[in-house]
């Protein structure tokens, strides 16, 4: 028997009125446990929308403190938060939006040694990180643990995202077998990024997460969404699992996690 307080019914009324979500879907959202890795450009909108949506438990992992140059796109952090740990700033905003949400903070770098226990407690992971080494680590950890996740990356006016359902859909490594050589792809700090592009992409990642939780619609699984906001052209590219994939293929060579060298590719 699902029960909601009058306050919950009012807070979530625009979800509950949706035929595809309804009271059951909102109950699923309330039960959900989502981990957002990176409280930056992508993690900010994802965290705001998931908290507003009433996701029961939201983990947020980030080792950094808020810098002035973050505020152009990392909208969960305010000017008064400069020099505060990002996880504290993000947790405070999420709790203010929705006191029903339980927020867990991980003020640490995500590495091979700690990512396994970290993701174990969650139903869905959002990759909001800013470097290829961590993106590949998240992919491999989620595949090995069977955890669905959303990949996302942004640079300049462009974004890309895909949703990975381990053993059911193509993984990040099926499409991009290994990180690009250091220096091949410029960082956001080198090449820049339009702030609102982060908002679009992080919001798509939150949407995919809510679709997964409520079993609504068709996920971006076996599908890479790319967009160029200068032309406002959005494309989806059909993908399929790669039998030669080093982590989810027929004869995987990656059976345990290792820290790749942090090679400078900042997609935040
Ligand atoms: Zn794969």
């Amino acid at each position: 028997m699902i029960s909601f307080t009058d306050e919950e019914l009012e807070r979530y009324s625009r979800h509950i009125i949706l035929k595809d979500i309804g009271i059951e879907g909102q109950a699923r959202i309330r039960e959900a446990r989502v981990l957002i890795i990176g409280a930056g450009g992508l993690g900010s909108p994802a965290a705001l929308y998931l908290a507003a949506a009433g996701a029961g438990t939201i983990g947020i992992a980030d080792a950094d403190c808020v810098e002035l140059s973050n505020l152009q796109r990392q909208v969960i952090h305010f000017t008064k938060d400069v020099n505060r740990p990002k996880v504290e700033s993000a947790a405070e905003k999420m709790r203010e939006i929705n006191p029903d949400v339980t927020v867990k903070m991980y003020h640490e770098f995500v590495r091979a040694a700690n990512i396994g226990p970290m993701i174990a407690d969650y139903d869905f992971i959002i990759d909001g990180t800013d470097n290829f080494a961590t993106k590949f680590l998240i992919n491999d950890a989620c595949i090995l643990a069977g955890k669905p996740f959303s990949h996302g990356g942004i640079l300049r006016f462009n974004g890309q995202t895909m949703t990975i359902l381990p053993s059911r859909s193509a993984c990040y490594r099926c499409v991009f077998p290994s990180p690009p050589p250091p220096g091949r792809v410029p960082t956001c700090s080198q090449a820049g990024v339009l702030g609102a592009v982060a908002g679009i992409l992080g919001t798509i990642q939150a949407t995919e997460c809510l679709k997964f939780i409520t079993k609504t619609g068709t996920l971006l699984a076996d599908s890479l969404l790319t967009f160029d906001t200068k032309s406002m052209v959005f494309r989806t590219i059909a993908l399929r699992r790669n039998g030669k994939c080093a982590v989810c293929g027929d004869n995987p060579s990656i059976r345990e996690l290792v820290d790749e060298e942090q090679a400078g590719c900042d997609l935040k």
Side-chain angles (χ1 to χ4, degrees), residues 70-81:
N70 298 152
L71 302 183
Q72 162 259 15
R73 65 199 176 284
Q74 301 182 16
V75 294
I76 205 165
H77 310 300
F78 301 166
T79 303
K80 69 177 170 71
D81 299 313

Side-chain angles (χ1 to χ4, degrees), residues 29 34 46 49-50 123-127 148-152 160-165 169 200-225 236:
I29 296 170
V34 181
Y49 275 111
L50 289 169
D123 306 317
F124 191 93
I125 321 298
I126 291 181
D127 169 11
F149 76 102
S150 169
H151 155 80
Q160 69 173 37
T161 180
M162 61 190 282
T163 299
I164 290 96
L165 305 173
S169 73
I200 296 171
L201 194 68
T203 303
I204 291 173
Q205 292 184 284
T207 308
E208 286 287 287
C209 177
L210 291 167
K211 284 165 58 188
F212 174 82
I213 292 166
T214 58
K215 304 180 198 289
T216 301
T218 307
L219 294 165
L220 279 172
D222 282 332
S223 189
L224 178 72
L225 173 69
T236 50

Side-chain angles (χ1 to χ4, degrees), residues 118-261:
M118 204 184 279
I119 64 175
D121 282 343
Y122 293 90
D123 306 317
F124 191 93
I125 321 298
I126 291 181
D127 169 11
T129 64
D130 60 351
N131 69 81
F132 284 108
T134 313
K135 289 186 182 301
F136 279 87
L137 178 66
I138 291 170
N139 180 73
D140 297 349
C142 286
I143 295 295
L144 294 176
K147 296 287 181 182
F149 76 102
S150 169
H151 155 80
I154 51 171
L155 192 65
R156 300 191 182 97
F157 294 87
N158 301 288
Q160 69 173 37
T161 180
M162 61 190 282
T163 299
I164 290 96
L165 305 173
S167 77
R168 289 163 56 196
S169 73
C171 84
Y172 182 53
R173 210 181 264 281
C174 287
V175 189
F176 307 100
S178 57
R184 173 75 61 86
V185 178
T187 67
C188 281
S189 56
Q190 292 165 336
V193 63
L194 189 74
V197 170
I200 296 171
L201 194 68
T203 303
I204 291 173
Q205 292 184 284
T207 308
E208 286 287 287
C209 177
L210 291 167
K211 284 165 58 188
F212 174 82
I213 292 166
T214 58
K215 304 180 198 289
T216 301
T218 307
L219 294 165
L220 279 172
D222 282 332
S223 189
L224 178 72
L225 173 69
T226 66
F227 60 82
D228 176 351
T229 58
K230 277 165 83 173
S231 55
M232 271 309 170
V233 172
F234 284 60
R235 282 198 180 90
T236 50
I237 301 159
L239 307 173
R240 50 162 41 171
R241 280 177 73 199
N242 178 355
K244 294 191 175 119
C245 176
V247 69
C248 81
D250 301 330
N251 292 296
S253 56
I254 297 171
R255 294 169 188 278
E256 59 184 43
L257 301 172
V258 289
D259 287 313
E260 301 205 32
E261 194 185 331

Side-chain angles (χ1 to χ4, degrees), residues 40-128:
L42 306 177
S44 288
L48 292 170
Y49 275 111
L50 289 169
T57 303
I58 302 174
I60 183 99
D62 201 305
D64 292 337
C65 290
V66 179
E67 296 176 24
L68 189 58
S69 64
N70 298 152
L71 302 183
Q72 162 259 15
R73 65 199 176 284
Q74 301 182 16
V75 294
I76 205 165
H77 310 300
F78 301 166
T79 303
K80 69 177 170 71
D81 299 313
V82 170
N83 295 327
R84 271 180 94 189
K86 285 187 179 178
V87 290
E88 278 181 20
S89 161
E92 180 183 284
K93 310 314 185 322
M94 286 192 272
R95 289 173 182 138
E96 282 183 22
I97 290 168
N98 191 345
D100 296 344
V101 170
T102 300
V103 180
K104 298 200 164 186
M105 294 184 281
Y106 302 88
H107 188 208
E108 54 195 305
F109 287 107
V110 173
R111 298 195 184 286
N114 63 4
I115 189 170
M118 204 184 279
I119 64 175
D121 282 343
Y122 293 90
D123 306 317
F124 191 93
I125 321 298
I126 291 181
D127 169 11

